[in-house]
Amino acid sequence: MNWEPWTGCYAASDGCANCYFYGPNAKRHGQNTITKTDKFDWPIRKNKNGEYNIKGNKILATCFATDFFLPEADEWRSVAWAMIKERQDIDFLILTKRIDRFKVALPDDWGDGYDNINIGCTVENQSLADQRLPLFLSYPIKRRFIAASPLLGEIDLSAYLKTGGIDHVTASGESGRDARICDYDWVLSIREQCINAGVTFWFKSSGSLFKQNGVVQKVNPFQQGNVAKECGINILNGKRLF
Ligand code: SF4
């Protein structure tokens, strides 16, 4: 289940070049203006009996079609944090390419972080990993994961994984007609790093161009999750992220 309190986004880094929502071939082309949606207060909206419309014990993927930390959403984010705090019975999963803006508009009572938030920092290549992950690890966040997505090259995450501050890593190739290749060797390397650090790992999607044993395979958008799953390399230990 997704919650998109605002819509619109624009590129933050190399991984945004072929963004499904706002890239050159996006279905929602041109929506770079950031606006609140009519679902803004959805997590706390109640029915006529005074019960929340969204029942508890759920994972709510938050801002997966925009970015939770966009500067244009600073004012709204304070209200979003308050709604998240109110719904302690829901796990809010936030994925961002703007972790450097994490502290802007953070609530006063944040402390070590709220229990019901899991934040994912996206890293697409080594240089972005080295820029974002030291910041990510320095912030008071109770549950953190890394999304190597879209994976654009070999990445060494070992130094960050061995801190013990990262719970989980996902890896995905890029999707779309101009997608760049995802090399299976890069995926296996990240998996190995996770094994060495005792961190769970999920190969979520092969992307549109998947290179395996030197051969590049074109993968239909509806098959990319299956192709990744069929590789049989997930180490989830019962963990459910989405
Ligand atoms: S941050 Fe995410 S939603 Fe925004 S342009 Fe980049 S890939 Fe698209």
Side-chain angles (χ1 to χ4, degrees), residues 9-12 15-16 19-22 64-67 97-98:
C9 199
Y10 49 86
C16 300
C19 172
Y20 177 77
F21 296 105
Y22 310 107
F64 271 42
T66 175
D67 196 316
K97 285 188 170 67
R98 292 176 171 85

Short mmCIF file of all heavy atoms in Angstrom, two decimals, residues 9-12 15-16 19-22 64-67 97-98, ligand 1:
data_model
loop_
_atom_site.label_atom_id
_atom_site.label_comp_id
_atom_site.label_asym_id
_atom_site.label_seq_id
_atom_site.Cartn_x
_atom_site.Cartn_y
_atom_site.Cartn_z
N CYS A 9 8.30 15.78 -8.82
CA CYS A 9 9.69 15.61 -8.40
C CYS A 9 10.59 16.07 -9.54
O CYS A 9 10.09 16.43 -10.62
CB CYS A 9 9.97 14.15 -8.03
SG CYS A 9 11.44 13.92 -7.01
N TYR A 10 11.86 16.09 -9.30
CA TYR A 10 12.83 16.41 -10.35
C TYR A 10 14.14 15.76 -9.96
O TYR A 10 14.32 15.32 -8.82
CB TYR A 10 12.97 17.94 -10.52
CG TYR A 10 13.18 18.67 -9.22
CD1 TYR A 10 14.44 18.82 -8.67
CD2 TYR A 10 12.09 19.19 -8.52
CE1 TYR A 10 14.63 19.48 -7.46
CE2 TYR A 10 12.26 19.85 -7.31
CZ TYR A 10 13.53 19.99 -6.79
OH TYR A 10 13.71 20.62 -5.58
N ALA A 11 15.05 15.69 -10.92
CA ALA A 11 16.27 14.89 -10.73
C ALA A 11 17.12 15.37 -9.56
O ALA A 11 17.33 16.57 -9.37
CB ALA A 11 17.08 14.91 -12.01
N ALA A 12 17.60 14.39 -8.80
CA ALA A 12 18.52 14.67 -7.70
C ALA A 12 19.92 14.16 -8.03
O ALA A 12 20.92 14.69 -7.57
CB ALA A 12 18.04 14.01 -6.42
N GLY A 15 20.86 8.56 -10.98
CA GLY A 15 19.83 7.52 -11.00
C GLY A 15 18.46 8.02 -11.40
O GLY A 15 17.55 7.24 -11.67
N CYS A 16 18.28 9.33 -11.44
CA CYS A 16 16.98 9.92 -11.82
C CYS A 16 16.84 10.08 -13.33
O CYS A 16 15.75 10.44 -13.81
CB CYS A 16 16.80 11.29 -11.17
SG CYS A 16 16.84 11.27 -9.38
N CYS A 19 13.88 8.34 -14.71
CA CYS A 19 12.84 8.17 -13.70
C CYS A 19 11.51 7.76 -14.34
O CYS A 19 11.05 8.38 -15.30
CB CYS A 19 12.67 9.46 -12.91
SG CYS A 19 11.27 9.44 -11.79
N TYR A 20 10.91 6.75 -13.78
CA TYR A 20 9.63 6.23 -14.30
C TYR A 20 8.56 7.32 -14.28
O TYR A 20 7.74 7.42 -15.19
CB TYR A 20 9.22 5.05 -13.42
CG TYR A 20 7.89 4.44 -13.78
CD1 TYR A 20 7.76 3.60 -14.87
CD2 TYR A 20 6.76 4.72 -13.02
CE1 TYR A 20 6.54 3.04 -15.21
CE2 TYR A 20 5.53 4.16 -13.35
CZ TYR A 20 5.43 3.32 -14.44
OH TYR A 20 4.23 2.78 -14.76
N PHE A 21 8.57 8.16 -13.27
CA PHE A 21 7.51 9.15 -13.12
C PHE A 21 7.83 10.47 -13.82
O PHE A 21 6.96 11.11 -14.39
CB PHE A 21 7.26 9.44 -11.63
CG PHE A 21 6.75 8.24 -10.89
CD1 PHE A 21 7.57 7.53 -10.04
CD2 PHE A 21 5.45 7.81 -11.07
CE1 PHE A 21 7.11 6.42 -9.36
CE2 PHE A 21 4.97 6.70 -10.40
CZ PHE A 21 5.79 6.00 -9.55
N TYR A 22 9.09 10.93 -13.73
CA TYR A 22 9.39 12.29 -14.20
C TYR A 22 10.54 12.35 -15.20
O TYR A 22 11.02 13.41 -15.53
CB TYR A 22 9.71 13.19 -12.98
CG TYR A 22 8.65 13.04 -11.92
CD1 TYR A 22 8.90 12.34 -10.74
CD2 TYR A 22 7.38 13.56 -12.12
CE1 TYR A 22 7.91 12.17 -9.79
CE2 TYR A 22 6.39 13.38 -11.17
CZ TYR A 22 6.66 12.69 -10.01
OH TYR A 22 5.68 12.51 -9.08
N PHE A 64 6.85 7.07 -2.68
CA PHE A 64 7.60 6.27 -3.66
C PHE A 64 7.48 6.85 -5.07
O PHE A 64 8.20 6.42 -5.96
CB PHE A 64 7.13 4.81 -3.63
CG PHE A 64 7.89 3.97 -2.62
CD1 PHE A 64 8.19 4.48 -1.36
CD2 PHE A 64 8.34 2.70 -2.94
CE1 PHE A 64 8.90 3.73 -0.43
CE2 PHE A 64 9.06 1.93 -2.02
CZ PHE A 64 9.33 2.45 -0.77
N ALA A 65 6.54 7.81 -5.28
CA ALA A 65 6.43 8.45 -6.60
C ALA A 65 6.81 9.92 -6.51
O ALA A 65 6.44 10.72 -7.36
CB ALA A 65 5.00 8.30 -7.12
N THR A 66 7.55 10.27 -5.47
CA THR A 66 8.09 11.62 -5.32
C THR A 66 9.25 11.45 -4.33
O THR A 66 9.85 10.38 -4.28
CB THR A 66 7.00 12.60 -4.83
OG1 THR A 66 7.59 13.88 -4.59
CG2 THR A 66 6.28 12.16 -3.57
N ASP A 67 9.64 12.50 -3.60
CA ASP A 67 10.69 12.35 -2.59
C ASP A 67 10.23 13.03 -1.31
O ASP A 67 9.84 14.20 -1.33
CB ASP A 67 12.00 12.97 -3.10
CG ASP A 67 13.20 12.52 -2.28
OD1 ASP A 67 13.11 12.51 -1.04
OD2 ASP A 67 14.24 12.15 -2.88
N LYS A 97 16.39 9.97 -2.27
CA LYS A 97 17.68 10.32 -2.88
C LYS A 97 18.16 11.66 -2.30
O LYS A 97 19.12 12.24 -2.78
CB LYS A 97 17.53 10.44 -4.40
CG LYS A 97 17.42 9.09 -5.12
CD LYS A 97 17.49 9.26 -6.63
CE LYS A 97 17.63 7.93 -7.34
NZ LYS A 97 16.46 7.06 -7.23
N ARG A 98 17.46 12.16 -1.28
CA ARG A 98 17.81 13.47 -0.70
C ARG A 98 18.03 13.33 0.81
O ARG A 98 17.54 14.15 1.58
CB ARG A 98 16.70 14.48 -1.00
CG ARG A 98 16.60 14.83 -2.48
CD ARG A 98 15.44 15.75 -2.77
NE ARG A 98 15.48 16.25 -4.14
CZ ARG A 98 14.96 15.60 -5.19
NH1 ARG A 98 14.38 14.42 -5.03
NH2 ARG A 98 15.04 16.14 -6.40
S1 SF4 B 1 14.13 11.37 -6.70
FE1 SF4 B 1 12.95 9.56 -7.35
S2 SF4 B 1 10.95 10.36 -8.02
FE2 SF4 B 1 12.37 12.10 -7.94
S3 SF4 B 1 13.17 12.29 -10.04
FE3 SF4 B 1 14.61 11.01 -8.87
S4 SF4 B 1 13.96 8.90 -9.26
FE4 SF4 B 1 12.24 10.25 -9.85
#
